[in-house]
């Protein structure tokens, strides 16, 4: 899942991904970026964990978005990590509370 957190508006957006390959992550990020742009929100700074492909860096450079890489395991430096943990906990709780016969692909 690729997640974006807008601290100023307290918005979390997530796009599911099938694998962690660079083109898949870039495509999911472009989807999130398009949603933000369509709403009139242009990211100025993006904090990323240390897993950032060259393709994503090129896309951010082309869109004139600055980025910072946060060292692995130092979640205090990335405020989005806490927000995403909350998002995942709510998502899992929602899935667990559905009817057992509910189709998971929905």
């Amino acid at each position: 899942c690729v997640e974006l957190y807008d601290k100023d508006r307290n918005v979390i957006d997530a796009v599911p991904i099938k694998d962690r390959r660079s083109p898949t992550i870039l495509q999911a990020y472009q989807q999130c970026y398009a949603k933000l742009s369509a709403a009139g929100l242009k990211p100025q700074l993006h904090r990323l964990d240390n897993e950032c492909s060259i393709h994503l860096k090129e896309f951010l450079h082309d869109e004139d978005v600055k980025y910072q890489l946060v060292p692995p395991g130092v979640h205090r430096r990335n405020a989005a990590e806490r927000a995403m943990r909350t998002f995942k906990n709510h998502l899992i709780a929602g899935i667990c509370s559905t009817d057992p016969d509910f189709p998971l692909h929905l």
Side-chain angles (χ1 to χ4, degrees):
C1 196
V2 170
E3 298 137 349
L4 291 175
Y5 172 61
D6 183 354
K7 180 180 168 186
D8 295 332
R9 290 158 193 84
N10 197 25
V11 173
I12 300 172
D13 188 21
V15 174
I17 56 175
K18 61 181 178 179
D19 56 45
R20 296 193 50 86
R21 293 183 353 202
S22 177
T24 307
I25 292 173
L26 177 61
Q27 182 181 12
Y29 183 84
Q30 287 172 333
Q31 275 184 282
C32 291
Y33 187 86
K35 285 182 194 176
L36 288 174
S37 296
L41 307 172
K42 183 177 182 329
Q44 303 286 321
L45 173 67
H46 193 108
R47 287 192 182 99
L48 302 158
D49 57 12
N50 65 336
E51 298 177 21
C52 182
S53 71
I54 189 70
H55 302 298
L56 183 56
K57 289 178 184 177
E58 289 172 355
F59 176 76
L60 293 171
H61 179 68
D62 292 344
E63 296 296 326
D64 197 29
V65 177
K66 293 179 175 56
Y67 65 90
Q68 292 178 346
L69 296 179
V70 177
V74 185
H75 298 300
R76 295 182 306 261
R77 303 246 322 254
N78 192 350
E81 290 293 334
R82 180 65 185 129
M84 288 180 225
R85 185 177 350 151
T86 301
F87 171 80
K88 287 179 182 178
N89 289 342
H90 284 272
L91 179 65
I92 291 169
I95 291 171
C96 291
S97 65
T98 59
D99 188 273
D101 297 328
F102 186 78
L104 284 179
H105 70 278
L106 298 177

